[in-house]
Amino acid sequence: MHLLELGECTDSEYKDEHICSANEFPKFDRIVHCISTHEETQNTWQLHGIHYADEAEVEMGEAEHAGEITYHSMINIRFCPFCGLSLDH
């Protein structure tokens, strides 16, 4: 998922993404710099936890297709939880 697609899902705009080798699941755990939310200016780094359904979840009826986003959570952060880097604005 590109930052533009993530923004469309969350009604936000993202400028940058912190990518580090310490993050073992970069598709699922994304660290992005948010510059606006619901048309309100922001200057925050956020950790997005995104879960994509797998075939087992489709078979159990929990998702319509593999790769479907079944949940998405977000918290504001100041440091990368994987490598410890300060995410100063």
Side-chain angles (χ1 to χ4, degrees):
M1 174 182 300
H2 300 286
L3 291 182
L4 183 59
E5 293 172 302
L6 181 60
E8 289 172 355
C9 292
T10 60
D11 194 22
S12 299
E13 186 177 353
Y14 303 104
K15 181 179 179 184
D16 296 310
E17 182 167 13
H18 170 70
I19 298 172
C20 68
S21 61
N23 180 355
E24 295 179 21
F25 305 102
K27 177 180 177 182
F28 306 103
D29 296 322
R30 308 272 302 269
I31 298 173
V32 296
H33 183 218
C34 180
I35 58 173
S36 73
T37 300
H38 307 292
E39 299 182 16
E40 186 175 312
T41 300
Q42 300 288 314
N43 186 19
T44 59
W45 283 91
Q46 302 171 338
L47 171 62
H48 289 253
I50 304 168
H51 179 77
Y52 299 89
D54 58 22
E55 291 296 333
E57 291 167 307
V58 173
E59 289 175 15
M60 292 186 299
E62 295 178 1
E64 291 184 23
H65 57 86
E68 173 185 349
I69 295 175
T70 56
Y71 67 82
H72 178 184
S73 62
M74 182 279 298
I75 59 171
N76 291 334
I77 59 174
R78 292 186 178 172
F79 297 88
C80 173
F82 307 107
C83 70
L85 180 74
S86 175
L87 300 168
D88 290 330
H89 307 290

